[in-house]
Amino acid sequence: MNKMETMTGAKALMTAMEKEGVKQVFGLPGGANLPMYDEFARCDIRHILVRHEQSAAHMADGFGRVSRKPGVCFATSGPGATNILTGIATAQADSAPMIAVTGQVPVNMIGKDAFQESDIIGMANPVVKYAFQPRTASEVPEVVKKGFFIAESGRPGPVLIDIPKDVQINEEQMTFPDEFKIQGYHPWADPDIVNVEKAIDMLLHAEKPIILAGGGTIISSAFAELQAIAETLMLPVVTTFKGKGAFPETHPLSLGPIGMHGHAEANKMMAEADCVLAIGTRFSDRSVGTFEAFEKRLKIIHMDVDPAEIGKNQTTQIAVIGDVRVNLRVMVKLLLQKAIKKTDETPWLKHVKETKSYWKENLKIHPGEMGAAKILRKLRELLPKESIITTEVGQHQMWASLFYDVIQPGTFFSSTGLGTMGWGFPAAIGAKVAKPDVPVVDIAGDGSFSMTENSLATAVLEDIPVIVFLLNNSTLGMVAQWQRTFYGRRMIGVDQQSCPDYVKLAESYGAQGIRAQSMDELDKAIKTALSSNVATVIDIPIDPEEDVLPFVAPGTSLSDMILPS
Amino acid sequence: MWAILSILVENKPGILFKVTHLFRARNFNIDSISVGTTENPDYSKMTITTYGDEKQIDQIVKQLDKMIDTVKVEHLDEHKTVFRELSIFKIKLSNANDSMEINKLANAYGGKVHDVKKDSIMVELTATPDQIKAFEELAKPFGILDVARTGVAALQRSGV
C-alpha cells in the first residue's frame, strides 16, 4: 500500500490511470465531467477529442484490441453516457478490453431526474463486464485499479466507471493500492493437462479432424502455438470470422473463415469434419449455422477461457478451460514429448487440399473491372503484411472475409458480435494510436462510414493518418442483398443516393480524398494514401447489385451454401 | 427438472437486479426467489428455483458463477436439502363449519391460523412448494380470496 496523499477525486482518477500506463484517452467533455477534463491540463495523458461519444468508445475499443490493454473513453453524464453505450456493447460482444469513464450528477442529485442525469449504471450493466460508481472520492484509486484488472484479465471486456461530479471535486486522502481482492472473480485456471491429453488422443483417432480458431485465439495471442499444432498434426484450419487472421491465411493448411459468409472450402470441410478442436470461440450462429446441424456427427473439443461458453451453444465432448495460449502450449509440449508428427498423406488432407484448390480456381467473382474480389486483392497486394485492418459492417466486411488474406496473425479486426455499423473507422483511429508505425486501413461501405464519418475531424485534428478504403455502392448493400434474395426485390430503405461526395467530404475536413474508378487509379490511390501523412478516404464506386457469395442463409447449415451462379 | 440454486453474493446495491436481469437476458426463467443477508453482513444469500433440463441448469449455474459479484453458486440436491417456502392464504368462510374444517386442514399441514373473521380466515404455512400446492388444492373449494408466497429458502444438510 502506498502512502496517503490528499487530492481530488478527479486528480486521483488521472493519477490512478497513469499508474495503469494510460497514455491517451478518447472523449468529449461536458458539464458533468469537467473536473476530470480540467486535470488533463495537469497530467501527461493525451486527450483525443471526438465528435460523438460512440466513436470515443470505438476508438478505445480499436486501441484495446490492438494493444491488448484497455482503451479508455470519456463521456459526460446523460446523453454523453448513453451515446457511448453502443460502443460499450460492441466491446462486450467481442470481448475487447475497455474502460469507459462517465461523469454523473452529484451524489445528492442522483434519482432526482436532474439535468443530464441518466441511470447509466442500470443501462450499462447488461453490456459491461462490470460497472462501478464510487460514492466518495477516496474510492476512486481502488475502483480504477480493479476496473483495469477486470477489463483486461480472463475474457476481456468493457468496464464502466461512473463518477458523480462532487466525487470528482471533493478532496480526500487517497491511497493507491498495489493489491486488492475481488472475491467472486477468478479469471485464471491452471493448465488442464489431463483434458489436453484426451484432446490429443481424440484428434489422433479422428478420420477427418479440423481446427476451428476463434477470436479467443487472437485475444490470447496463441498464434505460434496454433501453427505448431496445425503443422505437427497436419490439421486443416478454419476460423470464425472473429478469428480471421488467427492463422496465416496464405498457409497451405488454411481454409479461411467459416460461416454465413465464410469461404466455400472452409464451410465444406467444416461440414465434413468428424472432430473439431475449437479454440476460443463461442460458436456464434453466424459461424456455425444451426446449432443442431453443426454438432451432428461432430466430436467437439472446446478450449475457452470462459467456462460459461462450454456447452452454451454446442455439446462438447472434451472441455479445456483456461487461457487458450497456456493450454495450447501444453498441447505443443505433449506432442513434442510423445514425438507425434503426422504427414500430409492422409486421405482427409488430400481431400481438403483438392477442395481448397478447386474453390480457389472456380469460385466465380464479379466480371467487372471494379469487382469486390479484385479491389480487395489489390489492397492486399499493396499493403505491407503487418498492416492493420478494421472493417465496418456489411457487404464490404464479408468481401474482406472472402478476398483479403491476413498474412500476419492478429492484424484484422471487425465488429463481429454486435455487428456495429460505424465501428471500423473510429476503431482504426484507435488502432493507429496503439500502433502508429504501421498502416491502418478501415475497409468500409458507404452506409457504415456515414454513421461515424465525423471522426475525420479527429483523424485530422489529432494527426492520426488512417486510410478509409470505401467500397461505395450507394446503398445499404447487405440489406439490399437480403431484399433481393429473400424479399422479392422489394427494395425498401436501402438507397443511399443522397450520400455526400466522399472525396469532397474528406477534403472539407482537411483530410485527403481520392476517387478510384479503375484498377490503375486504385493502385495509385493506395500508394498515395500509404505515403501520405494525413487521413485519406479512397472512394471506390462499385456495382450496387454485386452480391456477397457464397452465402449460408439464416437458419440453415454450413453445407447449404448459396454459391455464385 | 426443478432446480434449487443457492447463490452467495456480495451485499451491494443492485445485485438483485443483476442476477434477475441475467435470467431475463439469457432467456431463463425464475420460478421463485428469496434473498436475505447472511450472518456476515457483507454477503447476501439468494435462493432461486427454476426449471430446465440438465444442460440448461448447468448453463444457468455457469452464467451466475461468471458474475463478478457472485461469491459462490451451488445447484442443491433436492434430496439432500432442507427447503421451505412461507405462504399466507386468505380463505373465504361461507358456512358455519368452514372455520373448523380449515383449522383441521391447517393443522394437518403444520400451518398456523391468523385473523379469524366472520367471513374470512388466514392460514400461514411454511412448507415445501409441493405441500403448499397440495394445501392450496384442498383450500380451493372454500374459496381462496388472496395468497402471498415467499420464494424458497434452502440449505444443504450437513455431511452430504
Side-chain angles (χ1 to χ4, degrees), chain A residues 236-259:
Chain A
V237 179
V238 297
T239 70
T240 63
F241 182 54
K242 183 158 188 277
K244 180 177 170 70
F247 189 72
E249 292 186 290
T250 48
H251 192 286
L253 288 169
S254 170
L255 293 166
I258 58 166

Side-chain angles (χ1 to χ4, degrees), chain B:
Chain B
M1 68 178 176
W2 186 68
I4 309 169
L5 308 177
S6 176
I7 309 152
L8 189 68
V9 298
E10 296 204 36
N11 188 6
K12 291 179 185 169
I15 307 295
L16 179 61
F17 163 74
K18 288 189 199 178
V19 169
T20 54
H21 175 80
L22 173 78
F23 274 77
R24 191 204 63 75
R26 293 283 177 189
N27 203 24
F28 307 140
N29 192 32
I30 291 175
D31 174 48
S32 82
I33 184 167
S34 69
V35 191
T37 50
T38 65
E39 76 290 354
N40 181 343
D42 290 341
Y43 302 116
S44 290
K45 182 170 276 182
M46 295 184 189
T47 308
I48 293 180
T49 63
T50 184
Y51 288 93
D53 60 26
E54 199 175 332
K55 195 176 166 184
Q56 285 166 329
I57 301 298
D58 181 56
Q59 182 59 210
I60 294 171
V61 170
K62 283 176 179 168
Q63 292 291 344
L64 286 168
D65 205 30
K66 183 173 157 178
M67 290 179 66
I68 288 169
D69 293 315
T70 55
V71 178
K72 193 176 181 186
V73 183
E74 288 177 288
H75 176 194
L76 302 180
D77 182 338
E78 194 180 330
H79 304 294
K80 298 173 182 173
T81 299
V82 175
F83 58 97
R84 294 288 183 274
E85 181 178 334
L86 170 69
S87 59
I88 303 172
F89 291 88
K90 185 187 278 184
I91 303 166
K92 191 176 175 185
L93 297 178
S94 307
N95 303 314
N97 289 338
D98 282 0
S99 176
M100 194 174 67
E101 293 294 322
I102 292 166
N103 256 297
K104 275 189 203 166
L105 192 59
N107 282 337
Y109 280 85
K112 287 181 187 171
V113 171
H114 300 277
D115 198 40
V116 183
K117 295 275 168 62
K118 189 180 166 191
D119 55 354
S120 72
I121 188 169
M122 285 171 77
V123 176
E124 171 200 329
L125 190 61
T126 302
T128 62
D130 278 356
Q131 287 170 319
I132 290 172
K133 195 175 176 192
F135 177 86
E136 189 179 28
E137 288 301 316
L138 292 170
K140 257 184 195 169
F142 296 97
I144 295 172
L145 299 171
D146 206 353
V147 63
R149 293 174 71 163
T150 66
V152 168
L155 271 187
Q156 190 152 300
R157 298 176 201 275
S158 299
V160 292

Side-chain angles (χ1 to χ4, degrees), chain A residues 103-160:
Chain A
Q104 181 57 275
V105 300
V107 170
N108 64 359
M109 297 298 288
I110 291 175
K112 307 287 196 296
D113 297 326
F115 175 67
Q116 291 196 332
E117 181 194 356
S118 65
D119 175 20
I120 194 62
I121 294 282
M123 285 185 242
N125 254 320
V127 291
V128 292
K129 192 170 173 189
Y130 203 71
F132 293 95
Q133 189 182 64
R135 294 296 183 105
T136 63
S138 61
E139 290 176 50
V140 170
E142 186 166 319
V143 158
V144 173
K145 187 88 183 165
K146 285 180 177 174
F148 275 79
F149 176 69
I150 291 170
E152 65 187 302
S153 56
R155 181 175 181 174
V159 168
L160 172 70

